[in-house]
Amino acid sequence: MSSKASSSRGGESIVADCGRNTSTCGYCKSPTRSSISHGLWTERLTVYDYQALLDRGWRRSGCYLYKPEMAKTCCPSYTIRLRACDFVPSKEQQRVRRRLERFLDGELDLKPREGTEDPDVSSEPVRKSLGSGKREQNNEVEPVLKDLSEQIDNAAQRCIQSGEFPSNIQLPKSSVKKVLSAKRKKLAEGSEELLYTSNIAFPIVAALKQISQKGEGSSNAEEKILSPETVSEKLLREMNKVREFPGLAIKVCKGHINFFSAAQVTSSETDQGESLLSATTTAKSSSNNLQVRKRKLEIHLKRSSFDPEEYELYKRYQMRVHNDEPESISETSYKRFLVDTPLIEVLPSRDGDDDDDENVPPCGFGSYHQQYRVDGRLIAVGVIDILPKCLSSKYLFWDPDLASLSLGNYSALQEIDWVKQNQARCSTLEYYYLGYYIHSCNKMRYKAAYRPSELLCPLRYQWVPFEVAKPLLDKKPYSVLSDCAKASLSPAPPASETLVKSTSEREDMEMNNSDEDSDSDSSSNGIDINNILISLNGARLRYKELLRIINMAVRKQLETMFVSYRKVVGAELSERMVYELQ
């Protein structure tokens, strides 16, 4: 007999109880299956139910919910949160903000180091004078080539987003090369000297032809006949939309994107076989310096759904940061982990007259992907859940080339700011949940740097200030945190806004009762399972009503399941949710 549970309020939650699970631990790397947790498979789940489950130590991975068995697992994982309005950034967190701002202002030239977020891996920008000598050119031209290549790559990504290129194209990386001095005069045009060139349009055309031959691309005829000249023009047009290139005249000639040094270029200088787009401006300084221009950061919040561009970034991140093998990063596993969600979305009413709108942010409740883009280029994605009381951070993946920007830390600061801003519209939205804190794992201790934070007591489900809990955790990985200083505790959270306060003392008694069986009533081990709500063949009834139609053997089997279920979800949720038997 299989089992499911569903909520009869605010939609229906459908949950299949998986019982206890053991696996190898990704934190302590124990060779044995030392990680122990309880699991639930969910098809649908209301945001109110999930908020209540979070406040009992649960967490989701896609549609799978899990809760560590804290006294038995090798690395006890404590739910950690902070009240956003009380957050005080540390000096290092302030430096993370300033570093990214300097990057956007063009004041940082990053030297990426794979698989790290070293805050010191950066250097000052290089500004190259067009009239400088050979020694200066050799030292300073490299950042210029890198910057121009990056702008072309960003333009190609925007062509995909706008539909100019098919979404399934595998874009080659652009390369801007320096033109040798011996060829500059030969290729010069009047007073303009050819400095750099890129032939990126040719491999892009080859990629488009490959898609066309396989029949995978769009049926749009224009995509099938794009020439290198046309591709270069599209790229240049996109480049012009986001920034200027002082001291450079950029032209498309025979499919190549050419960068000339020039004080000014006008449309009258267009020659045969050459397409000139207005891509230049007069240099602002008399020295004609090539200056790194400001970059534009955009943050977009979108409903959780599969996005090929996000998936490609995720693969790069997993391979370079976590050293995952390419075959282990399938589209199916990615969707199961970061796209699939059981949460039933809640949207504010359109007319705004609903009283409940006071407790719903403008975006609503549910699962989201928060995209971070610089000049249109996707650099990071935060996977989050927005719930009645909190923003719950689930996962973040970012561009390994930008590791030195500490995008994980920066995104956390942005998410905290989001909670602060939206609390004005949704008064109950107060907290930022950072997932699990594992004191025994050094890599997870960074979460406590977001102060003042609280940890969830694994026994009484009360919130304990981290400073109060830390001395206990320094002694042993698992501790009943609420024993240390009850005067410092936050009250235990209710299962939902409409339910009465949790009877934590009764749950303490139940957890510490003996394992003796009781056949006199439908209570087992002192845990009352009479009022668990059940669905059987479409009918809803309480467990005590079910006893009249089942035999003793089935009763024993069900009692074992229901006692376990009642322990892990709590009294209120077990009596409000529907446990569906099949």
Side-chain angles (χ1 to χ4, degrees), residues 270-419:
T270 304
D271 296 325
Q272 274 189 345
E274 184 178 273
S275 172
L276 172 62
L277 302 178
S278 56
T280 65
T281 61
T282 303
K284 294 184 178 180
S285 64
S286 58
S287 61
N288 283 338
N289 283 343
L290 176 59
Q291 299 179 344
V292 178
R293 305 301 294 174
K294 289 187 176 181
R295 301 174 174 94
K296 182 179 180 181
L297 172 66
E298 295 177 296
I299 303 177
H300 303 285
L301 187 66
K302 59 186 283 287
R303 289 281 174 180
S304 181
S305 62
F306 179 74
D307 184 323
E309 186 181 11
E310 291 181 359
Y311 174 53
E312 291 300 320
L313 179 61
Y314 172 76
K315 287 196 296 184
R316 291 181 57 224
Y317 170 79
Q318 293 296 130
M319 287 188 290
R320 292 177 56 182
V321 177
H322 295 291
N323 299 316
D324 286 359
E325 295 296 331
E327 56 271 16
S328 68
I329 316 172
S330 66
E331 185 176 308
T332 299
S333 65
Y334 167 72
K335 289 179 179 178
R336 187 168 57 241
F337 178 34
L338 295 178
V339 178
D340 295 346
T341 175
L343 299 187
I344 304 170
E345 66 181 32
V346 176
L347 299 176
S349 62
R350 293 184 178 180
D351 54 18
D353 295 335
D354 194 332
D355 292 339
D356 289 340
D357 278 359
E358 296 181 1
N359 289 321
V360 180
C363 65
F365 296 134
S367 299
Y368 297 84
H369 286 193
Q370 185 149 278
Q371 296 183 339
Y372 296 78
R373 293 183 179 274
V374 171
D375 292 344
R377 170 189 171 191
L378 185 66
I379 65 167
V381 177
V383 182
I384 61 176
D385 292 323
I386 298 175
L387 303 172
K389 288 170 51 180
C390 72
L391 183 154
S392 174
S393 178
K394 184 177 183 303
Y395 200 73
L396 180 97
F397 51 95
W398 35 264
D399 189 338
D401 291 339
L402 301 179
S404 59
L405 288 179
S406 300
L407 292 172
N409 292 329
Y410 182 80
S411 69
L413 298 175
Q414 288 296 120
E415 290 166 358
I416 293 170
D417 286 345
W418 186 95
V419 175

Side-chain angles (χ1 to χ4, degrees), residues 42 58 74 97 146 163 193 203 225-226 247 273 302 338 410 419 504:
T42 64
W58 290 85
C74 55
R97 283 192 188 274
K146 179 182 175 182
E193 186 178 54
I225 61 173
L226 288 182
K302 59 186 283 287
L338 295 178
Y410 182 80
V419 175
S504 59

Side-chain angles (χ1 to χ4, degrees), residues 442-462:
N442 289 331
K443 289 184 178 180
M444 300 295 284
R445 289 194 176 190
Y446 75 92
K447 295 184 180 183
Y450 296 89
R451 299 188 177 99
S453 57
E454 301 174 304
L455 299 181
L456 185 66
C457 175
L459 180 64
R460 299 187 181 93
Y461 304 113
Q462 294 172 310

Side-chain angles (χ1 to χ4, degrees), residues 99-388:
R99 190 181 307 118
L100 190 125
E101 289 170 358
R102 292 173 64 200
F103 170 71
L104 296 176
D105 288 340
E107 297 176 3
L108 281 181
D109 174 51
L110 303 180
K111 294 181 179 179
R113 182 179 298 172
E114 294 187 12
T116 182
E117 285 202 3
D118 185 352
D120 297 322
V121 185
S122 61
S123 63
E124 292 301 317
V126 179
R127 298 173 183 264
K128 176 181 177 297
S129 173
L130 299 179
S132 59
K134 290 183 179 180
R135 181 175 180 181
E136 186 178 1
Q137 290 176 358
N138 289 337
N139 292 336
E140 299 181 352
V141 72
E142 191 67 31
V144 175
L145 298 179
K146 179 182 175 182
D147 180 64
L148 295 176
S149 298
E150 181 181 294
Q151 295 307 312
I152 294 176
D153 285 337
N154 293 343
Q157 290 292 339
R158 289 192 294 275
C159 284
I160 293 178
Q161 297 168 23
S162 64
E164 298 277 3
F165 298 160
S167 60
N168 58 339
I169 186 174
Q170 295 292 324
L171 285 175
K173 294 287 288 185
S174 66
S175 175
V176 176
K177 297 182 179 180
K178 178 181 176 182
V179 178
L180 298 177
S181 300
K183 293 185 177 180
R184 288 185 181 182
K185 291 185 179 180
K186 182 179 179 181
L187 299 174
E189 299 184 1
S191 61
E192 300 173 3
E193 186 178 54
L194 180 60
L195 300 178
Y196 319 115
T197 186
S198 174
N199 64 350
I200 183 60
F202 293 90
I204 289 179
V205 169
L208 290 171
K209 288 181 178 178
Q210 187 176 14
I211 292 177
S212 177
Q213 291 170 357
K214 292 181 178 180
E216 298 175 355
S218 168
S219 58
N220 191 329
E222 181 185 357
E223 292 180 352
K224 297 182 179 181
I225 61 173
L226 288 182
S227 64
E229 188 90 2
T230 303
V231 169
S232 293
E233 289 176 356
K234 290 179 181 292
L235 295 174
L236 185 50
R237 189 177 294 111
E238 290 296 330
M239 291 170 65
N240 292 336
K241 290 180 181 179
V242 296
R243 64 175 284 183
E244 298 176 345
F245 299 85
L248 284 181
I250 311 178
K251 302 180 181 181
V252 173
C253 182
K254 298 180 180 178
H256 294 263
I257 301 177
N258 292 333
F259 301 84
F260 294 85
S261 65
Q264 189 172 4
V265 178
T266 63
S267 58
S268 62
E269 295 173 323
T270 304
D271 296 325
Q272 274 189 345
E274 184 178 273
S275 172
L276 172 62
L277 302 178
S278 56
T280 65
T281 61
T282 303
K284 294 184 178 180
S285 64
S286 58
S287 61
N288 283 338
N289 283 343
L290 176 59
Q291 299 179 344
V292 178
R293 305 301 294 174
K294 289 187 176 181
R295 301 174 174 94
K296 182 179 180 181
L297 172 66
E298 295 177 296
I299 303 177
H300 303 285
L301 187 66
K302 59 186 283 287
R303 289 281 174 180
S304 181
S305 62
F306 179 74
D307 184 323
E309 186 181 11
E310 291 181 359
Y311 174 53
E312 291 300 320
L313 179 61
Y314 172 76
K315 287 196 296 184
R316 291 181 57 224
Y317 170 79
Q318 293 296 130
M319 287 188 290
R320 292 177 56 182
V321 177
H322 295 291
N323 299 316
D324 286 359
E325 295 296 331
E327 56 271 16
S328 68
I329 316 172
S330 66
E331 185 176 308
T332 299
S333 65
Y334 167 72
K335 289 179 179 178
R336 187 168 57 241
F337 178 34
L338 295 178
V339 178
D340 295 346
T341 175
L343 299 187
I344 304 170
E345 66 181 32
V346 176
L347 299 176
S349 62
R350 293 184 178 180
D351 54 18
D353 295 335
D354 194 332
D355 292 339
D356 289 340
D357 278 359
E358 296 181 1
N359 289 321
V360 180
C363 65
F365 296 134
S367 299
Y368 297 84
H369 286 193
Q370 185 149 278
Q371 296 183 339
Y372 296 78
R373 293 183 179 274
V374 171
D375 292 344
R377 170 189 171 191
L378 185 66
I379 65 167
V381 177
V383 182
I384 61 176
D385 292 323
I386 298 175
L387 303 172

Side-chain angles (χ1 to χ4, degrees), residues 540-582:
R540 293 190 178 184
L541 63 163
R542 301 291 176 180
Y543 177 69
K544 58 187 177 184
E545 300 168 332
L546 183 65
L547 294 177
R548 297 194 299 264
I549 59 175
I550 59 175
N551 59 39
M552 184 58 67
V554 174
R555 174 179 172 176
K556 289 286 186 181
Q557 179 185 359
L558 291 179
E559 280 188 359
T560 300
M561 288 195 303
F562 286 146
V563 167
S564 175
Y565 170 70
R566 166 66 173 72
K567 284 182 178 179
V568 294
V569 303
E572 296 170 8
L573 282 175
S574 69
E575 294 175 9
R576 175 163 61 85
M577 296 170 65
V578 179
Y579 194 110
E580 189 171 75
L581 294 175
Q582 293 181 341

